[in-house]
Amino acid sequence: MDPSPESPLAQFLDPAFPWPRIPRVKRRQRLGLPPITSVTLAGGFLGLVWLLYQLLNQGFWPDWIQRSSATGVILLAVPLGWGLGHLRQPVEQELGSLNGRLAEIWGLLGWGLAWPWLGSTLGRWGDRALAWIPLVPSLELAHGLEQVGRGTLVLAGVALVASPWLWDVVLQVCHGLQPHSPKTLKLQRPETSQVLRRFFCQRHKLPLVTLGVLPPATPLIFSYGHLPRNTRVVVSQGLLDALEDEELAAIVAAELSLVDDRSSWILPSLSLVLQLPYGLYWQSAQWGDQCQRRAWGLPGVPPPRRVSPTPRTAFNRQFQGTIDPAYSGTQPQMQPSQAQRSPAASPKPRRPRTGQQWLWQGLAYGCPLVSGVGYGLFKLGRWTLLAIARHRADRGDRGSADFCSNPNGYSRALLKLALQVAHCLEQRQETPALLESLELLQPLGYCAAMVAAQSAYAAAAVCAPPPILLLTAPPGSEPSSEPSTEPASPPTSPPTSPPTSPPASLPEPSPASLPEPSAEPSPETRPGSESDTQPQTQSQAQPQTQPNPEARPGAAIPPQVSAASPPDGTQPIAVGPPIPPAFTPLPAPPGTPLPAPPGTPLLAAPLQSDRRLDTWLTYLHWDCLNPQRHWLSLNQAQPPLGDRIARLNGYGQGWKLDPTFPLPAPTAPLAPPIDRWWHQLRRPQSRYKLPQIQRELYHLWQGWQRLLTQGSPFGGLALGLVGGLLLWFLGALLTLMGFWQFAWLFGELSLLSATLPLGVCGGILLRNNRFFPDFPRRILTTASDFQWLLVDVERLPYESIAVRWRGKVVGRSGLANSLGQDLWLETPLGLIKLHHTTPFGPLGLLHPRHQPQHWVGTTVVVQGWLRRGNTVWIDVDLVRTEAGRMVQGYHPQWLLGVAIVAFVYSLSAFLA
């Protein structure tokens, strides 16, 4: 068996990889205050107004203040808005970034409203369900669960006060936190030690606080603390091994800058509270697995999981045959498993018979429910804090560039961190629990890291040298080692047996371009790869077997030619590597940039420092140029990686520093530039600007139209809100006209509860057919389709690609993956996320029959819709396992069911 090729991530993580380096600037101006975003300003201002209104409505105020609370809010909102706009600099000197404080107000409002609302809603549903059961008294679950939801506010308050010391206890007891020796840090990482000394000793006049080190190999870094005196920066051993001193200093400076910005208090404190539901999810899953094993009479602790050291077994194969088995027009034949071939070899465990085993079985059925509730609570709390986490990442990027004057080093640290996180997931074949639970505090999320890894795989596939092709010579003839001056005669007769048709990506050969073949070509012979029109001799072709790796910097050395002779006694003759369709090698001195030849596809970058790195950056253009990327990032904890690197490049260019990772300037969000248009129209030559403004308005409308198509359910929610407000206005208008029968319409909250679900129903119905198109009869998805999916900067998730891929499913095993939250498909293009659901949605996954964790570790054929957003994922339509079992995905049916339920609820609210 041939050895498996190494993962392309190992090429980028190799210490010998030529990462570009530029000396940092010595003297520069400070970056100053970041601009205030309109969304953050509007949201934070509305949050302040709401808090002021609630404060004036409290019972301890006099009656005349409570009666005029609305008028007081309106009067106080005007000076409050003026103060936010004109007194920004003194406010930020005392409170830190205004963007951060407004985002934290928004997050605290979401946290304070989400938990009581969730408790009261679940309690009302529980009371209604118990009302149908006879002889069961009313338990008043709504009031009880609402008080439980308010109890989370008490936990949040305790965490806000004592979070530094609570984090110390949690990390030391649960994860083995150890302090890093200052002397060792100064010897091994002098620049990092200098950054810590500048921050604590010189800037804040405090004793030196060293780093805290966690033992896991997963790359982690985060900070917490109220003030600089109780600030801690925690890193993992995997991060120390992955980054150099310059890069570690830049990423530590980003965490320390959050302390000066007052951003290291709110988010770490609330993230500490989220560790409770996540720990409930994880421990319940572990206990459920132990109970299930004990119920079948097995030991409670399972044997250690076997992880393949080389998960990429088919990277250098032809993509058409590896990724898409239907490329040849035949369906893949799944081999029966060992249990099918010999049932006696793996007998099924006996069913539980004793009372103790039945008790273990009952506990095993209850643990998935508790685990699912814990994971759902963790996700709900995470969604309320996403705005704070995104601001924290932006402020850390700006603070690192301002503190270290090394934006290029911080960009390199982010890229290496992304590759190391993806490599860790590949090695462990699951998402580490610590990485998911601390995602809000990380400088880079693991989902964004997987997109960067997929781009690295695609870049390595484009820039990889083609395999050496072998042609056979007649027995007895030996290739000459010296070049011959006489050209070889063209072949007189074609081969007797035609070879297999070449792949579509290689050009058709000409008969004169190949040496004279034998009558029966070897199975290793693959003609059709030579594109030279001049005939070559065997001696001329022989020196091409060992190309000079220095002729093209960064190019990988082709695999060696096997010395084994074919079984018929003929000797192999090595023919030079074929010219791939992505680039054309031209003779040039080492290190000389080569222009792209005519007809070069977009995927091939010009030859610069390293083709793999340049092509990799090409796949990150979506993060900079997609105008809808900000809206698609609302469910992510960090902005897109390419957008952050482009902003760091902008900081360096302001200091006249060349970027080491050139990316295009980020495009503006979907918002009309009203200030620029106003200044243009005020000029005397404004009539010449009108056509340009009209074109910009047309492109802006096209962008909003595509965004509304993607987010139709959320657009329907806004449309339902507008419809309810219009009914209020209609009721007020009819009342003023004398139709008192319609006075009840004004201010009726039940109308909003009816129009909002109706809008969601309409949005789902409008988008469902376009979001889930029908599959063609033959799915011919190749590697180039996936590459264009990554490089298309205008693509949105609803513009999907139909795929049918075969690969190994990896992820967490056992009940920790009962909801399908950690399913990845292992392909030659990296790990791709799988989204699977049942007709009953996520709740249906709690049933053991529908739980997808049974796929983990098996090879399956997945058919679904491949989508590109801030992440790349597959919505599963059909899965065929090794045993021949078909598992259907029900994404369209589930959304249709949600639309029907919303319509019925809206209709019942209207009738009520």
Side-chain angles (χ1 to χ4, degrees), residues 36-53:
I36 302 179
T37 58
S38 57
V39 177
T40 304
L41 180 60
F45 180 73
L46 292 177
L48 287 175
V49 170
W50 185 85
L51 284 177
L52 185 61
Y53 179 77

Side-chain angles (χ1 to χ4, degrees), residues 855-879:
W855 308 343
V856 175
T858 62
T859 301
V860 299
V861 175
V862 176
Q863 175 178 296
W865 298 274
L866 180 65
R867 307 189 189 279
R868 171 67 159 107
N870 275 354
T871 59
V872 178
W873 76 93
I874 297 177
D875 285 335
V876 176
D877 176 70
L878 185 66
V879 174

Side-chain angles (χ1 to χ4, degrees), residues 6-13 17 19 312 315 319 415-416 418-420 422-423 426 448-464 610-620 641 786-787 790 828-831 868:
E6 64 175 3
S7 170
L9 299 184
Q11 303 177 16
F12 290 92
L13 294 174
F17 186 81
W19 292 94
R312 294 294 169 269
F315 173 70
F319 285 111
L415 291 175
K416 284 189 176 181
L419 294 176
Q420 190 65 31
H423 189 63
E426 285 186 359
M450 294 310 299
V451 176
Q454 292 157 6
S455 303
Y457 270 91
V462 170
C463 300
D610 191 280
R611 284 187 51 84
R612 294 168 293 178
L613 183 60
D614 298 332
T615 310
W616 184 24
L617 295 178
T618 304
Y619 293 113
L620 297 180
L641 177 59
F786 182 80
Q787 292 166 351
L790 293 176
L829 296 174
L831 296 179
R868 171 67 159 107

Side-chain angles (χ1 to χ4, degrees), residues 338-653:
Q338 183 68 25
Q340 285 182 314
R341 290 194 295 264
S342 56
S346 56
K348 295 183 179 180
R350 296 181 302 173
R351 300 185 66 84
R353 296 178 181 178
T354 63
Q356 185 180 7
Q357 289 176 337
W358 279 112
L359 177 61
W360 288 119
Q361 188 67 44
L363 293 176
Y365 284 147
C367 286
L369 182 61
V370 178
S371 177
V373 170
Y375 194 79
L377 294 177
F378 169 75
K379 283 294 185 181
L380 177 63
R382 174 184 176 272
W383 289 333
T384 61
L385 303 177
L386 288 177
I388 308 177
R390 283 193 297 271
H391 163 75
R392 180 184 169 97
D394 286 336
R395 194 64 186 92
D397 298 346
R398 191 180 185 92
S400 175
D402 205 7
F403 192 87
C404 288
S405 305
N406 190 15
N408 290 325
Y410 187 69
S411 300
R412 188 167 64 252
L414 289 178
L415 291 175
K416 284 189 176 181
L417 181 62
L419 294 176
Q420 190 65 31
V421 168
H423 189 63
C424 178
L425 264 68
E426 285 186 359
Q427 295 296 322
R428 298 190 57 172
Q429 298 192 7
E430 65 177 8
T431 304
L434 195 60
L435 186 63
E436 184 180 19
S437 62
L438 300 178
E439 183 188 8
L440 294 175
L441 304 179
Q442 297 303 307
L444 187 67
Y446 67 94
C447 292
M450 294 310 299
V451 176
Q454 292 157 6
S455 303
Y457 270 91
V462 170
C463 300
I468 297 295
L469 303 182
L470 299 179
L471 297 179
T472 58
S477 60
E478 297 183 357
S480 175
S481 59
E482 298 180 359
S484 175
T485 57
E486 298 180 4
S489 60
T492 57
S493 61
T496 56
S497 59
T500 308
S501 59
S505 60
L506 297 180
E508 282 293 327
S510 59
S513 62
L514 301 176
E516 182 177 356
S518 61
E520 296 181 2
S522 171
E524 298 179 349
T525 303
R526 286 164 45 180
S529 57
E530 280 290 321
S531 60
D532 299 337
T533 57
Q534 298 296 331
Q536 297 181 357
T537 61
Q538 301 173 359
S539 58
Q540 288 174 337
Q542 178 66 22
Q544 298 180 5
T545 57
Q546 298 292 338
N548 184 11
E550 299 180 356
R552 194 172 73 249
I557 301 177
Q560 299 292 335
V561 181
S562 175
S565 299
D568 57 352
T570 59
Q571 298 181 358
I573 299 178
V575 179
I579 298 178
F583 65 94
T584 302
L586 300 176
T592 303
L594 297 179
T600 302
L602 180 60
L603 301 179
L607 185 61
Q608 296 179 2
S609 59
D610 191 280
R611 284 187 51 84
R612 294 168 293 178
L613 183 60
D614 298 332
T615 310
W616 184 24
L617 295 178
T618 304
Y619 293 113
L620 297 180
H621 285 187
W622 189 96
D623 299 344
C624 310
L625 302 180
N626 191 286
Q628 293 88 3
R629 66 186 183 278
H630 300 287
W631 293 97
L632 298 177
S633 302
L634 292 180
N635 62 340
Q636 299 295 324
Q638 293 86 15
L641 177 59
D643 185 79
R644 299 171 65 181
I645 295 177
R647 294 185 185 277
L648 289 169
N649 292 341
Y651 300 153
Q653 289 174 358

Side-chain angles (χ1 to χ4, degrees), residues 75 119 130 185 207 321 366 499 578 659 747 841:
L75 294 177
L130 292 177
L185 184 66

